[in-house]
Amino acid sequence: MSEPVSPAAHRLRHQLPLLIWLVLVWNLLWGTWSWANLIGGVAVALGVTLLLPLPAVVGGSRVRPLPTLRFLGHFVADLARSGALVAWQTIRPSGIDRSAIITVQLRTDSDLLLTILAESLTLVPGSMVIDLDRERRTISLHVLHVRDEADIERQRAAVLAEEDRVVRAFGSPGEVAALDAAEGRTA
């Protein structure tokens, strides 16, 4: 018979990736690998997680390898393409012609997924999230280099495509099913 797992052991198992990450960051900040830095990192990581615990993430999100690779591939391609476009716009004689603020109606309301979406959109040069309304499921962005109304609609479609990739990569089965249902209603 297996013994029941104590709440402390259960919490430690779920906190282990965070602890490892904090120890790694601590050692990278010091710039050298030593036993003192490793032990100090463990002490700091335990202190941070015990004294400043994070709230539990609700929603049962999962990481799916293939959709995550698809998300990362598109993200890296967007970084390269947008970085080159913004660089060109800053050095060309006419500069940046027009920009716009767009609002996009989203299909998910998960805090975790909205955070990943907002970060991935903001990290891409040429776009900046300026508002995120979870209750209304809307996100507003400032985007550079907008030529016409069709370009604005392409930007909105790109945000929805990014949302789709985020939900499929990190969403719970219920969130993926809700996304499929929302796409079925809009298609």
mmCIF file of all heavy atoms in Angstrom, residues 62-106:
data_model
loop_
_atom_site.group_PDB
_atom_site.id
_atom_site.type_symbol
_atom_site.label_atom_id
_atom_site.label_comp_id
_atom_site.label_asym_id
_atom_site.label_seq_id
_atom_site.Cartn_x
_atom_site.Cartn_y
_atom_site.Cartn_z
ATOM 1 N N ARG A 62 -1.885 22.844 -19.325
ATOM 2 C CA ARG A 62 -0.899 21.832 -19.666
ATOM 3 C C ARG A 62 0.012 22.372 -20.747
ATOM 4 O O ARG A 62 -0.356 23.273 -21.482
ATOM 5 C CB ARG A 62 -1.604 20.594 -20.188
ATOM 6 C CG ARG A 62 -2.546 20.018 -19.169
ATOM 7 C CD ARG A 62 -2.801 18.576 -19.456
ATOM 8 N NE ARG A 62 -3.483 18.003 -18.318
ATOM 9 C CZ ARG A 62 -4.715 17.546 -18.370
ATOM 10 N NH1 ARG A 62 -5.377 17.574 -19.476
ATOM 11 N NH2 ARG A 62 -5.265 17.043 -17.295
ATOM 12 N N VAL A 63 1.178 21.782 -20.843
ATOM 13 C CA VAL A 63 2.097 22.121 -21.931
ATOM 14 C C VAL A 63 2.060 20.960 -22.910
ATOM 15 O O VAL A 63 2.381 19.828 -22.558
ATOM 16 C CB VAL A 63 3.526 22.354 -21.409
ATOM 17 C CG1 VAL A 63 4.469 22.605 -22.559
ATOM 18 C CG2 VAL A 63 3.557 23.510 -20.428
ATOM 19 N N ARG A 64 1.649 21.256 -24.134
ATOM 20 C CA ARG A 64 1.606 20.252 -25.196
ATOM 21 C C ARG A 64 2.815 20.478 -26.102
ATOM 22 O O ARG A 64 2.965 21.572 -26.656
ATOM 23 C CB ARG A 64 0.306 20.375 -25.971
ATOM 24 C CG ARG A 64 -0.892 19.991 -25.151
ATOM 25 C CD ARG A 64 -2.175 20.223 -25.942
ATOM 26 N NE ARG A 64 -3.308 20.043 -25.082
ATOM 27 C CZ ARG A 64 -3.762 20.964 -24.233
ATOM 28 N NH1 ARG A 64 -3.198 22.135 -24.177
ATOM 29 N NH2 ARG A 64 -4.789 20.717 -23.460
ATOM 30 N N PRO A 65 3.683 19.471 -26.267
ATOM 31 C CA PRO A 65 4.946 19.684 -26.983
ATOM 32 C C PRO A 65 4.804 20.198 -28.417
ATOM 33 O O PRO A 65 5.439 21.188 -28.774
ATOM 34 C CB PRO A 65 5.608 18.307 -26.949
ATOM 35 C CG PRO A 65 4.994 17.607 -25.784
ATOM 36 C CD PRO A 65 3.603 18.126 -25.685
ATOM 37 N N LEU A 66 4.000 19.562 -29.245
ATOM 38 C CA LEU A 66 3.919 19.994 -30.649
ATOM 39 C C LEU A 66 3.285 21.373 -30.803
ATOM 40 O O LEU A 66 3.837 22.223 -31.510
ATOM 41 C CB LEU A 66 3.186 18.944 -31.487
ATOM 42 C CG LEU A 66 3.971 17.645 -31.706
ATOM 43 C CD1 LEU A 66 3.137 16.641 -32.490
ATOM 44 C CD2 LEU A 66 5.292 17.908 -32.376
ATOM 45 N N PRO A 67 2.139 21.648 -30.148
ATOM 46 C CA PRO A 67 1.614 23.012 -30.246
ATOM 47 C C PRO A 67 2.554 24.060 -29.639
ATOM 48 O O PRO A 67 2.606 25.196 -30.106
ATOM 49 C CB PRO A 67 0.288 22.951 -29.484
ATOM 50 C CG PRO A 67 -0.134 21.524 -29.579
ATOM 51 C CD PRO A 67 1.159 20.747 -29.537
ATOM 52 N N THR A 68 3.332 23.670 -28.615
ATOM 53 C CA THR A 68 4.294 24.605 -28.031
ATOM 54 C C THR A 68 5.400 24.919 -29.032
ATOM 55 O O THR A 68 5.810 26.077 -29.174
ATOM 56 C CB THR A 68 4.887 24.039 -26.724
ATOM 57 O OG1 THR A 68 3.820 23.827 -25.797
ATOM 58 C CG2 THR A 68 5.906 24.987 -26.117
ATOM 59 N N LEU A 69 5.874 23.907 -29.744
ATOM 60 C CA LEU A 69 6.885 24.150 -30.785
ATOM 61 C C LEU A 69 6.317 25.031 -31.889
ATOM 62 O O LEU A 69 7.017 25.914 -32.411
ATOM 63 C CB LEU A 69 7.388 22.833 -31.361
ATOM 64 C CG LEU A 69 8.295 22.017 -30.450
ATOM 65 C CD1 LEU A 69 8.606 20.662 -31.081
ATOM 66 C CD2 LEU A 69 9.569 22.782 -30.138
ATOM 67 N N ARG A 70 5.066 24.807 -32.246
ATOM 68 C CA ARG A 70 4.413 25.645 -33.263
ATOM 69 C C ARG A 70 4.323 27.094 -32.781
ATOM 70 O O ARG A 70 4.645 28.033 -33.509
ATOM 71 C CB ARG A 70 3.025 25.096 -33.561
ATOM 72 C CG ARG A 70 2.297 25.853 -34.633
ATOM 73 C CD ARG A 70 0.977 25.150 -34.972
ATOM 74 N NE ARG A 70 0.213 25.967 -35.864
ATOM 75 C CZ ARG A 70 -0.952 26.505 -35.567
ATOM 76 N NH1 ARG A 70 -1.515 26.279 -34.396
ATOM 77 N NH2 ARG A 70 -1.577 27.265 -36.432
ATOM 78 N N PHE A 71 3.914 27.280 -31.519
ATOM 79 C CA PHE A 71 3.836 28.621 -30.932
ATOM 80 C C PHE A 71 5.208 29.284 -30.943
ATOM 81 O O PHE A 71 5.349 30.434 -31.368
ATOM 82 C CB PHE A 71 3.288 28.526 -29.499
ATOM 83 C CG PHE A 71 3.523 29.753 -28.674
ATOM 84 C CD1 PHE A 71 2.800 30.919 -28.900
ATOM 85 C CD2 PHE A 71 4.486 29.763 -27.675
ATOM 86 C CE1 PHE A 71 3.027 32.059 -28.137
ATOM 87 C CE2 PHE A 71 4.716 30.884 -26.915
ATOM 88 C CZ PHE A 71 3.984 32.036 -27.149
ATOM 89 N N LEU A 72 6.240 28.552 -30.480
ATOM 90 C CA LEU A 72 7.587 29.128 -30.418
ATOM 91 C C LEU A 72 8.135 29.437 -31.813
ATOM 92 O O LEU A 72 8.795 30.453 -32.016
ATOM 93 C CB LEU A 72 8.525 28.193 -29.662
ATOM 94 C CG LEU A 72 8.263 28.070 -28.158
ATOM 95 C CD1 LEU A 72 9.148 26.991 -27.549
ATOM 96 C CD2 LEU A 72 8.466 29.397 -27.459
ATOM 97 N N GLY A 73 7.856 28.560 -32.789
ATOM 98 C CA GLY A 73 8.304 28.805 -34.153
ATOM 99 C C GLY A 73 7.699 30.076 -34.728
ATOM 100 O O GLY A 73 8.404 30.904 -35.322
ATOM 101 N N HIS A 74 6.390 30.247 -34.543
ATOM 102 C CA HIS A 74 5.731 31.465 -35.021
ATOM 103 C C HIS A 74 6.243 32.691 -34.269
ATOM 104 O O HIS A 74 6.422 33.759 -34.861
ATOM 105 C CB HIS A 74 4.216 31.354 -34.870
ATOM 106 C CG HIS A 74 3.561 30.609 -35.978
ATOM 107 N ND1 HIS A 74 3.169 31.219 -37.143
ATOM 108 C CD2 HIS A 74 3.247 29.307 -36.103
ATOM 109 C CE1 HIS A 74 2.621 30.323 -37.933
ATOM 110 N NE2 HIS A 74 2.670 29.145 -37.328
ATOM 111 N N PHE A 75 6.484 32.531 -32.965
ATOM 112 C CA PHE A 75 6.962 33.647 -32.155
ATOM 113 C C PHE A 75 8.337 34.110 -32.626
ATOM 114 O O PHE A 75 8.572 35.309 -32.810
ATOM 115 C CB PHE A 75 7.000 33.241 -30.680
ATOM 116 C CG PHE A 75 7.515 34.318 -29.771
ATOM 117 C CD1 PHE A 75 6.770 35.460 -29.530
ATOM 118 C CD2 PHE A 75 8.746 34.186 -29.153
ATOM 119 C CE1 PHE A 75 7.246 36.462 -28.701
ATOM 120 C CE2 PHE A 75 9.227 35.178 -28.322
ATOM 121 C CZ PHE A 75 8.473 36.316 -28.091
ATOM 122 N N VAL A 76 9.240 33.164 -32.858
ATOM 123 C CA VAL A 76 10.590 33.515 -33.324
ATOM 124 C C VAL A 76 10.517 34.152 -34.714
ATOM 125 O O VAL A 76 11.202 35.141 -34.997
ATOM 126 C CB VAL A 76 11.518 32.289 -33.289
ATOM 127 C CG1 VAL A 76 12.825 32.550 -34.003
ATOM 128 C CG2 VAL A 76 11.767 31.858 -31.851
ATOM 129 N N ALA A 77 9.675 33.601 -35.591
ATOM 130 C CA ALA A 77 9.521 34.183 -36.934
ATOM 131 C C ALA A 77 8.961 35.603 -36.839
ATOM 132 O O ALA A 77 9.415 36.508 -37.550
ATOM 133 C CB ALA A 77 8.616 33.305 -37.793
ATOM 134 N N ASP A 78 7.979 35.809 -35.956
ATOM 135 C CA ASP A 78 7.418 37.156 -35.753
ATOM 136 C C ASP A 78 8.477 38.114 -35.221
ATOM 137 O O ASP A 78 8.531 39.275 -35.627
ATOM 138 C CB ASP A 78 6.232 37.121 -34.790
ATOM 139 C CG ASP A 78 4.974 36.545 -35.405
ATOM 140 O OD1 ASP A 78 4.916 36.429 -36.643
ATOM 141 O OD2 ASP A 78 4.048 36.219 -34.636
ATOM 142 N N LEU A 79 9.309 37.628 -34.304
ATOM 143 C CA LEU A 79 10.389 38.471 -33.768
ATOM 144 C C LEU A 79 11.323 38.927 -34.884
ATOM 145 O O LEU A 79 11.659 40.113 -34.979
ATOM 146 C CB LEU A 79 11.201 37.716 -32.714
ATOM 147 C CG LEU A 79 10.641 37.620 -31.316
ATOM 148 C CD1 LEU A 79 11.542 36.731 -30.466
ATOM 149 C CD2 LEU A 79 10.484 38.969 -30.679
ATOM 150 N N ALA A 80 11.742 37.990 -35.717
ATOM 151 C CA ALA A 80 12.682 38.320 -36.790
ATOM 152 C C ALA A 80 12.045 39.260 -37.813
ATOM 153 O O ALA A 80 12.625 40.290 -38.177
ATOM 154 C CB ALA A 80 13.167 37.045 -37.464
ATOM 155 N N ARG A 81 10.848 38.913 -38.271
ATOM 156 C CA ARG A 81 10.167 39.722 -39.288
ATOM 157 C C ARG A 81 9.849 41.124 -38.759
ATOM 158 O O ARG A 81 10.145 42.120 -39.411
ATOM 159 C CB ARG A 81 8.890 39.016 -39.750
ATOM 160 C CG ARG A 81 8.163 39.701 -40.875
ATOM 161 C CD ARG A 81 6.923 38.954 -41.349
ATOM 162 N NE ARG A 81 6.006 38.611 -40.268
ATOM 163 C CZ ARG A 81 5.817 37.375 -39.784
ATOM 164 N NH1 ARG A 81 6.497 36.362 -40.277
ATOM 165 N NH2 ARG A 81 4.965 37.164 -38.815
ATOM 166 N N SER A 82 9.277 41.202 -37.566
ATOM 167 C CA SER A 82 8.913 42.505 -37.008
ATOM 168 C C SER A 82 10.136 43.326 -36.644
ATOM 169 O O SER A 82 10.143 44.544 -36.818
ATOM 170 C CB SER A 82 8.027 42.325 -35.771
ATOM 171 O OG SER A 82 6.816 41.713 -36.135
ATOM 172 N N GLY A 83 11.175 42.666 -36.137
ATOM 173 C CA GLY A 83 12.406 43.384 -35.821
ATOM 174 C C GLY A 83 13.015 44.013 -37.056
ATOM 175 O O GLY A 83 13.459 45.171 -37.033
ATOM 176 N N ALA A 84 13.031 43.259 -38.152
ATOM 177 C CA ALA A 84 13.567 43.803 -39.412
ATOM 178 C C ALA A 84 12.699 44.951 -39.923
ATOM 179 O O ALA A 84 13.226 45.978 -40.384
ATOM 180 C CB ALA A 84 13.652 42.702 -40.463
ATOM 181 N N LEU A 85 11.387 44.817 -39.825
ATOM 182 C CA LEU A 85 10.477 45.866 -40.293
ATOM 183 C C LEU A 85 10.645 47.148 -39.470
ATOM 184 O O LEU A 85 10.746 48.248 -40.026
ATOM 185 C CB LEU A 85 9.026 45.389 -40.239
ATOM 186 C CG LEU A 85 7.973 46.388 -40.704
ATOM 187 C CD1 LEU A 85 8.172 46.753 -42.167
ATOM 188 C CD2 LEU A 85 6.582 45.823 -40.463
ATOM 189 N N VAL A 86 10.701 47.016 -38.156
ATOM 190 C CA VAL A 86 10.871 48.199 -37.297
ATOM 191 C C VAL A 86 12.234 48.835 -37.534
ATOM 192 O O VAL A 86 12.355 50.066 -37.593
ATOM 193 C CB VAL A 86 10.660 47.832 -35.808
ATOM 194 C CG1 VAL A 86 11.088 48.963 -34.889
ATOM 195 C CG2 VAL A 86 9.199 47.470 -35.551
ATOM 196 N N ALA A 87 13.264 48.015 -37.697
ATOM 197 C CA ALA A 87 14.596 48.563 -37.986
ATOM 198 C C ALA A 87 14.573 49.343 -39.296
ATOM 199 O O ALA A 87 15.124 50.452 -39.376
ATOM 200 C CB ALA A 87 15.632 47.438 -38.046
ATOM 201 N N TRP A 88 13.940 48.794 -40.328
ATOM 202 C CA TRP A 88 13.857 49.482 -41.611
ATOM 203 C C TRP A 88 13.076 50.792 -41.475
ATOM 204 O O TRP A 88 13.472 51.814 -42.025
ATOM 205 C CB TRP A 88 13.219 48.577 -42.662
ATOM 206 C CG TRP A 88 12.858 49.309 -43.923
ATOM 207 C CD1 TRP A 88 11.615 49.503 -44.419
ATOM 208 C CD2 TRP A 88 13.743 49.981 -44.812
ATOM 209 N NE1 TRP A 88 11.658 50.238 -45.561
ATOM 210 C CE2 TRP A 88 12.976 50.553 -45.834
ATOM 211 C CE3 TRP A 88 15.121 50.160 -44.850
ATOM 212 C CZ2 TRP A 88 13.519 51.289 -46.875
ATOM 213 C CZ3 TRP A 88 15.661 50.894 -45.889
ATOM 214 C CH2 TRP A 88 14.870 51.444 -46.886
ATOM 215 N N GLN A 89 11.994 50.761 -40.726
ATOM 216 C CA GLN A 89 11.179 51.969 -40.565
ATOM 217 C C GLN A 89 11.932 53.070 -39.825
ATOM 218 O O GLN A 89 11.699 54.250 -40.078
ATOM 219 C CB GLN A 89 9.886 51.649 -39.823
ATOM 220 C CG GLN A 89 8.923 50.831 -40.643
ATOM 221 C CD GLN A 89 7.736 50.369 -39.820
ATOM 222 O OE1 GLN A 89 7.724 50.442 -38.613
ATOM 223 N NE2 GLN A 89 6.721 49.873 -40.513
ATOM 224 N N THR A 90 12.811 52.702 -38.942
ATOM 225 C CA THR A 90 13.539 53.726 -38.192
ATOM 226 C C THR A 90 14.672 54.348 -38.988
ATOM 227 O O THR A 90 15.046 55.493 -38.727
ATOM 228 C CB THR A 90 14.107 53.159 -36.872
ATOM 229 O OG1 THR A 90 14.941 52.052 -37.164
ATOM 230 C CG2 THR A 90 12.993 52.755 -35.935
ATOM 231 N N ILE A 91 15.233 53.624 -39.971
ATOM 232 C CA ILE A 91 16.353 54.200 -40.723
ATOM 233 C C ILE A 91 15.938 54.762 -42.083
ATOM 234 O O ILE A 91 16.693 55.530 -42.668
ATOM 235 C CB ILE A 91 17.488 53.174 -40.913
ATOM 236 C CG1 ILE A 91 17.028 51.965 -41.734
ATOM 237 C CG2 ILE A 91 18.051 52.749 -39.573
ATOM 238 C CD1 ILE A 91 18.149 51.023 -42.128
ATOM 239 N N ARG A 92 14.761 54.409 -42.571
ATOM 240 C CA ARG A 92 14.360 54.937 -43.879
ATOM 241 C C ARG A 92 14.009 56.419 -43.750
ATOM 242 O O ARG A 92 13.580 56.874 -42.679
ATOM 243 C CB ARG A 92 13.220 54.132 -44.476
ATOM 244 C CG ARG A 92 11.908 54.333 -43.794
ATOM 245 C CD ARG A 92 10.834 53.496 -44.433
ATOM 246 N NE ARG A 92 9.584 53.770 -43.730
ATOM 247 C CZ ARG A 92 8.431 53.344 -44.112
ATOM 248 N NH1 ARG A 92 8.327 52.607 -45.191
ATOM 249 N NH2 ARG A 92 7.349 53.635 -43.422
ATOM 250 N N PRO A 93 14.148 57.175 -44.786
ATOM 251 C CA PRO A 93 13.921 58.622 -44.717
ATOM 252 C C PRO A 93 12.499 59.028 -44.301
ATOM 253 O O PRO A 93 12.321 59.988 -43.574
ATOM 254 C CB PRO A 93 14.221 59.107 -46.141
ATOM 255 C CG PRO A 93 15.101 58.063 -46.723
ATOM 256 C CD PRO A 93 14.706 56.776 -46.082
ATOM 257 N N SER A 94 11.492 58.279 -44.743
ATOM 258 C CA SER A 94 10.111 58.678 -44.410
ATOM 259 C C SER A 94 9.694 58.251 -43.011
ATOM 260 O O SER A 94 8.663 58.699 -42.511
ATOM 261 C CB SER A 94 9.139 58.109 -45.439
ATOM 262 O OG SER A 94 9.176 56.692 -45.413
ATOM 263 N N GLY A 95 10.452 57.392 -42.360
ATOM 264 C CA GLY A 95 10.136 56.965 -40.999
ATOM 265 C C GLY A 95 8.885 56.102 -40.942
ATOM 266 O O GLY A 95 8.499 55.466 -41.915
ATOM 267 N N ILE A 96 8.232 56.117 -39.800
ATOM 268 C CA ILE A 96 7.012 55.344 -39.605
ATOM 269 C C ILE A 96 5.843 56.197 -40.070
ATOM 270 O O ILE A 96 5.616 57.295 -39.544
ATOM 271 C CB ILE A 96 6.849 54.929 -38.133
ATOM 272 C CG1 ILE A 96 8.008 54.022 -37.733
ATOM 273 C CG2 ILE A 96 5.517 54.241 -37.905
ATOM 274 C CD1 ILE A 96 8.084 53.713 -36.258
ATOM 275 N N ASP A 97 5.105 55.704 -41.065
ATOM 276 C CA ASP A 97 4.013 56.489 -41.636
ATOM 277 C C ASP A 97 2.840 56.619 -40.672
ATOM 278 O O ASP A 97 2.560 57.691 -40.173
ATOM 279 C CB ASP A 97 3.522 55.847 -42.938
ATOM 280 C CG ASP A 97 4.591 55.852 -44.009
ATOM 281 O OD1 ASP A 97 5.432 56.759 -43.981
ATOM 282 O OD2 ASP A 97 4.586 54.943 -44.842
ATOM 283 N N ARG A 98 2.165 55.529 -40.437
ATOM 284 C CA ARG A 98 0.991 55.557 -39.578
ATOM 285 C C ARG A 98 1.028 54.399 -38.593
ATOM 286 O O ARG A 98 1.538 53.331 -38.893
ATOM 287 C CB ARG A 98 -0.289 55.441 -40.415
ATOM 288 C CG ARG A 98 -0.574 56.680 -41.212
ATOM 289 C CD ARG A 98 -1.920 56.592 -41.840
ATOM 290 N NE ARG A 98 -1.796 55.756 -43.047
ATOM 291 C CZ ARG A 98 -2.807 55.393 -43.802
ATOM 292 N NH1 ARG A 98 -4.016 55.765 -43.486
ATOM 293 N NH2 ARG A 98 -2.616 54.671 -44.870
ATOM 294 N N SER A 99 0.435 54.629 -37.454
ATOM 295 C CA SER A 99 0.255 53.570 -36.467
ATOM 296 C C SER A 99 -1.215 53.577 -36.073
ATOM 297 O O SER A 99 -1.969 54.467 -36.465
ATOM 298 C CB SER A 99 1.164 53.799 -35.256
ATOM 299 O OG SER A 99 0.841 55.015 -34.630
ATOM 300 N N ALA A 100 -1.619 52.582 -35.306
ATOM 301 C CA ALA A 100 -3.024 52.484 -34.926
ATOM 302 C C ALA A 100 -3.143 51.829 -33.561
ATOM 303 O O ALA A 100 -2.247 51.109 -33.120
ATOM 304 C CB ALA A 100 -3.807 51.680 -35.959
ATOM 305 N N ILE A 101 -4.259 52.082 -32.928
ATOM 306 C CA ILE A 101 -4.638 51.365 -31.715
ATOM 307 C C ILE A 101 -5.813 50.488 -32.101
ATOM 308 O O ILE A 101 -6.828 50.983 -32.597
ATOM 309 C CB ILE A 101 -5.003 52.323 -30.569
ATOM 310 C CG1 ILE A 101 -3.756 53.109 -30.167
ATOM 311 C CG2 ILE A 101 -5.588 51.548 -29.393
ATOM 312 C CD1 ILE A 101 -3.994 54.155 -29.097
ATOM 313 N N ILE A 102 -5.646 49.191 -31.918
ATOM 314 C CA ILE A 102 -6.706 48.256 -32.279
ATOM 315 C C ILE A 102 -7.184 47.513 -31.042
ATOM 316 O O ILE A 102 -6.429 47.323 -30.090
ATOM 317 C CB ILE A 102 -6.248 47.249 -33.360
ATOM 318 C CG1 ILE A 102 -5.091 46.374 -32.851
ATOM 319 C CG2 ILE A 102 -5.858 47.964 -34.636
ATOM 320 C CD1 ILE A 102 -4.753 45.213 -33.775
ATOM 321 N N THR A 103 -8.435 47.126 -31.066
ATOM 322 C CA THR A 103 -9.024 46.312 -30.009
ATOM 323 C C THR A 103 -9.483 45.007 -30.643
ATOM 324 O O THR A 103 -10.105 45.005 -31.697
ATOM 325 C CB THR A 103 -10.204 47.033 -29.347
ATOM 326 O OG1 THR A 103 -9.735 48.263 -28.794
ATOM 327 C CG2 THR A 103 -10.819 46.196 -28.241
ATOM 328 N N VAL A 104 -9.156 43.909 -29.977
ATOM 329 C CA VAL A 104 -9.490 42.584 -30.500
ATOM 330 C C VAL A 104 -10.338 41.856 -29.461
ATOM 331 O O VAL A 104 -9.982 41.818 -28.277
ATOM 332 C CB VAL A 104 -8.217 41.771 -30.815
ATOM 333 C CG1 VAL A 104 -8.563 40.411 -31.374
ATOM 334 C CG2 VAL A 104 -7.307 42.539 -31.762
ATOM 335 N N GLN A 105 -11.434 41.282 -29.917
ATOM 336 C CA GLN A 105 -12.296 40.461 -29.057
ATOM 337 C C GLN A 105 -11.685 39.067 -28.970
ATOM 338 O O GLN A 105 -11.566 38.378 -29.989
ATOM 339 C CB GLN A 105 -13.706 40.389 -29.641
ATOM 340 C CG GLN A 105 -14.692 39.631 -28.775
ATOM 341 C CD GLN A 105 -14.996 40.368 -27.485
ATOM 342 O OE1 GLN A 105 -15.254 41.562 -27.498
ATOM 343 N NE2 GLN A 105 -14.939 39.657 -26.375
ATOM 344 N N LEU A 106 -11.279 38.676 -27.768
ATOM 345 C CA LEU A 106 -10.644 37.377 -27.560
ATOM 346 C C LEU A 106 -11.682 36.308 -27.249
ATOM 347 O O LEU A 106 -12.843 36.610 -26.988
ATOM 348 C CB LEU A 106 -9.624 37.470 -26.432
ATOM 349 C CG LEU A 106 -8.484 38.473 -26.654
ATOM 350 C CD1 LEU A 106 -7.625 38.591 -25.410
ATOM 351 C CD2 LEU A 106 -7.647 38.079 -27.856
#
